[in-house]
Amino acid sequence: MNNTRPIVITEENLSYAWARIFLHIIDNPGKEIAPLVVSITGFKNNIPQEDKEIREALDNCLKSNNKQSVHTVANTIFPESLWRRSKYNRKNLFEMYEKIFPRIQALAKTKNSRGVYFKRLISFGFGPENGNQLEYVISQYNSRPAVRRTMLQLSIFDPGRDHDTIAQLPFPCLQHISLVPNNKEKSLKLNAFYATQQVFEKSYGNYLGLCRLGKFIASEMNLEFSGLYCFIGVAKMDTISKKKLAGLEELARKSLEH
């Protein structure tokens, strides 16, 4: 689609933000938005607002097309259930994830062959804390009254591993994360950059996973998570026909009439 300006979607509710992106592609020629900026700002107890009907309808549509559920996609960014099992102790969480990662990788050998996002966040391969970027930024923030903001960054893309000439890489689409704490307001915002993003298959789970990651980081910094801001170079829906999504489209439209 030819457009000289980015499409900007701002919503408090995560489900409504996703629905607006989805419907924008449905309603316009082509199968992509380039670029797209998304902000989600509605949280209660660090948990994003959602519309149950939209989430369930999307999950049902994903299942009928043999795609991963929203929760499964979100888990690649932050394994919330494992955090609960770790009794909300981040050291336990990191150790447990490293221990079970071979099983996680084996569950989806093709999709996870190059790794998953949370694994890169806690074991990048080099750097302070043995490449555990989450431990580094959290411990640095907590160690003194002020840290420079440029320190609070998390990398996913690794040129040494990810510069590859094959036609399509399943991972990583998420490239970089930056954190913006506000000490006066005791709040935390998270910025994320995607080179590309699959709107139907991945984007809802991506946003949910990033919100869960933001919740985790904020809690470890004794802050409240207040906003997710995503820049997507190319948001696309090129793996499924628009005609197959008629039911999901109808529900999305009705939900946005709130």
Side-chain angles (χ1 to χ4, degrees):
M1 183 190 309
N2 293 324
N3 195 329
T4 58
R5 297 181 180 180
I7 299 300
V8 179
I9 304 292
T10 300
E11 281 283 352
E12 291 187 356
N13 188 294
L14 188 158
S15 304
Y16 298 156
W18 177 85
R20 292 195 186 282
I21 299 163
F22 171 71
L23 290 175
H24 184 93
I25 293 181
I26 292 290
D27 291 340
N28 288 278
K31 297 182 178 181
E32 64 182 45
I33 303 170
L36 170 67
V37 180
V38 183
S39 67
I40 299 168
T41 57
F43 297 88
K44 185 175 181 180
N45 298 323
N46 291 326
I47 298 172
Q49 297 177 29
E50 292 186 79
D51 182 297
K52 184 179 179 181
E53 285 190 312
I54 292 177
R55 169 87 175 264
E56 288 182 352
L58 175 58
D59 266 332
N60 290 336
C61 197
L62 288 166
K63 184 177 181 180
S64 66
N65 286 279
N66 298 311
K67 305 298 183 183
Q68 293 178 320
S69 70
V70 166
H71 176 72
T72 298
V73 173
N75 257 7
T76 65
I77 296 174
F78 185 75
E80 188 171 54
S81 57
L82 195 64
W83 188 28
R84 289 196 296 269
R85 284 171 52 195
S86 73
K87 299 181 179 180
Y88 303 104
N89 180 294
R90 72 175 186 267
K91 181 180 178 181
N92 290 344
L93 169 64
F94 300 149
E95 290 177 352
M96 290 170 66
Y97 194 85
E98 291 284 13
K99 189 175 293 186
I100 68 169
F101 181 70
R103 279 183 283 159
I104 293 171
Q105 201 164 30
L107 287 173
K109 292 182 180 179
T110 301
K111 292 180 181 294
N112 297 342
S113 62
R114 301 177 66 87
V116 299
Y117 295 115
F118 190 70
K119 174 67 171 174
R120 289 253 177 128
L121 291 174
I122 66 170
S123 182
F124 193 77
F126 60 89
E129 302 291 348
N130 296 315
N132 189 329
Q133 301 177 80
L134 287 175
E135 179 58 38
Y136 180 73
V137 297
I138 292 168
S139 60
Q140 288 297 313
Y141 178 83
N142 290 337
S143 67
R144 53 191 185 277
V147 297
R148 73 177 192 279
R149 290 185 176 184
T150 53
M151 183 184 292
L152 304 178
Q153 300 190 59
L154 306 164
S155 292
I156 306 294
F157 183 82
D158 180 358
R161 287 181 278 184
D162 300 326
H163 272 155
D164 199 304
T165 58
I166 66 174
Q168 186 171 4
L169 285 177
F171 171 91
C173 295
L174 171 62
Q175 310 284 293
H176 196 78
I177 294 169
S178 69
L179 307 171
V180 186
N182 186 313
N183 294 334
K184 181 180 289 187
E185 296 179 359
K186 301 295 289 181
S187 66
L188 177 74
K189 294 181 175 67
L190 186 151
N191 303 313
F193 172 73
Y194 280 81
T196 63
Q197 186 177 72
Q198 285 289 349
V199 172
F200 171 64
E201 293 181 40
K202 302 288 187 180
S203 63
Y204 196 117
N206 290 161
Y207 305 146
L208 183 60
L210 287 167
C211 287
R212 290 175 175 176
L213 178 65
K215 172 186 174 182
F216 163 72
I217 297 172
S219 69
E220 294 299 300
M221 292 179 170
N222 295 311
L223 302 172
E224 291 291 319
F225 186 55
S226 61
L228 168 65
Y229 303 87
C230 278
F231 180 92
I232 300 106
V234 181
K236 56 187 179 178
M237 199 159 64
D238 59 1
T239 62
I240 189 168
S241 166
K242 292 181 181 181
K243 293 180 180 179
K244 288 187 176 183
L245 302 172
L248 186 58
E249 174 191 347
E250 182 180 0
L251 177 68
R253 292 192 193 283
K254 288 181 178 178
S255 298
L256 290 179
E257 292 172 358
H258 65 286

